[in-house]
Amino acid sequence: EQLWQSGSFAPTMQDMEAQELEEELWKRLLYQDEQTAAWITESTVSSMGLTSLATIAESLRNFAEGLQKELQRSLNLRWTSVWDSMLACYTGDRTYAFHLDNPRGEQHGLPDNGIRLTTCYFINPHWDPTSGYDGGGLDLYLTDPSKPPSSADVARRSTRVRIAPHADTLVTFLSDRLAHQVVATEGSERWFCLWIWCVDDEAVVGFPEKMLSRLDTLGEEESDEQSSDDDIDDDIDPSHELSECD
């Protein structure tokens, strides 16, 4: 609440020194629900005295890093760094995007954006379990955990588990396996969640260029398809038959 009331929530990609393409990609893929957020950096903590929030953020980082050895052994999952924690606030009459944090795929997905593990922690002691309201919580769609979902439709039709936004609730999942969606909010009450992402830095840096390459390839394929359609149209165009008769 202190960060929100002080106006410390700012556009999510602000001051990241990202190129225009890179900024637009991350806003569309990862931060489509978080138009503004507060990053828990050393400067933010020291300037505002956010000792408790800094402790939670550090605990989340330690928790995620503690999983790496086992995930590397069992799933060959590796990452090279953990981003600063991001505090999000979900409020107002809003619905939120159904998505994967890393929707990679060789044929139907996007290039690997480097995000490996997603962790979120809810900070809402005012949530009332008797109200029947879970706005600002999280819906998880449980597809086959051994591989990414084959399509958005498959993920949407899978078993859904709803996580209430209650304080001290921790959720962690593989970023390319679990589709999820923030539960729609209503009214002015605010629901806070702290997010962290474990990433492969090399893949993160290479993602914008690979995305451009993918877009160029798609453009060429569409152009080839259009050319083929034009050829077919020419073959059956009566004007060609008339000109040949002449």
Side-chain angles (χ1 to χ4, degrees):
E1 283 287 348
Q2 179 183 348
L3 285 168
W4 180 269
Q5 297 290 353
S6 67
S8 297
F9 276 66
T12 310
M13 293 291 293
Q14 183 172 296
D15 299 329
M16 289 194 179
E17 300 181 355
Q19 298 294 325
E20 184 176 354
L21 171 64
E22 184 180 4
E23 180 174 337
E24 189 62 27
L25 284 174
W26 288 115
K27 285 166 63 177
R28 291 191 180 191
L29 288 174
L30 191 60
Y31 308 129
Q32 60 267 64
D33 291 330
E34 294 81 20
Q35 298 173 359
T36 62
W39 292 94
I40 311 305
T41 63
E42 289 185 8
S43 60
T44 302
V45 170
S46 60
S47 64
M48 301 192 67
L50 304 174
T51 306
S52 297
L53 197 56
T55 299
I56 295 172
E58 184 63 23
S59 296
L60 289 183
R61 177 185 291 269
N62 291 338
F63 170 76
E65 291 179 342
L67 295 176
Q68 185 169 25
K69 185 175 181 180
E70 176 58 27
L71 290 178
Q72 181 175 336
R73 183 193 67 79
S74 59
L75 300 176
N76 195 32
L77 185 70
R78 299 179 175 85
W79 57 82
T80 55
S81 67
V82 181
W83 286 346
D84 288 329
S85 296
M86 183 193 79
L87 183 65
C89 178
Y90 304 107
T91 187
D93 297 329
R94 287 189 62 192
T95 56
Y96 301 90
F98 170 91
H99 68 285
L100 283 164
D101 285 352
N102 187 356
R104 61 176 171 173
E106 294 183 1
Q107 293 183 334
H108 303 295
L110 300 179
D112 178 16
N113 63 24
I115 302 177
R116 299 291 180 252
L117 190 74
T118 300
T119 298
C120 63
Y121 181 79
F122 292 98
I123 314 173
N124 303 291
H126 59 289
W127 177 74
D128 180 3
T130 66
S131 68
Y133 176 73
D134 296 320
L138 199 64
D139 282 339
L140 307 177
Y141 294 82
L142 306 183
T143 51
D144 183 351
S146 66
K147 59 184 179 182
S150 57
S151 70
D153 184 56
V154 167
R156 284 185 183 277
R157 289 187 285 107
S158 65
T159 300
R160 184 190 70 180
V161 173
R162 175 157 292 184
I163 308 297
H166 186 39
D168 203 30
T169 299
L170 176 70
V171 183
T172 189
F173 51 87
L174 303 183
S175 306
D176 66 342
R177 307 289 172 89
L178 198 64
H180 55 284
Q181 184 174 23
V182 174
V183 180
T185 52
E186 299 175 357
S188 60
E189 198 154 28
R190 292 182 286 272
W191 304 92
F192 293 96
C193 182
L194 199 61
W195 294 87
I196 64 167
W197 291 276
C198 303
V199 304
D200 180 323
D201 289 308
E202 184 176 354
V204 169
V205 171
F207 172 62
E209 184 176 346
K210 290 180 180 179
M211 190 66 195
L212 272 180
S213 178
R214 175 70 63 87
L215 292 174
D216 288 342
T217 299
L218 290 174
E220 292 172 0
E221 290 175 353
E222 290 178 358
S223 178
D224 291 342
E225 289 176 2
Q226 183 62 49
S227 296
S228 298
D229 291 342
D230 291 343
D231 291 342
I232 293 172
D233 290 340
D234 288 343
D235 290 341
I236 63 175
D237 188 345
S239 65
H240 284 255
E241 296 179 3
L242 290 174
S243 61
E244 290 173 2
C245 291
D246 291 341

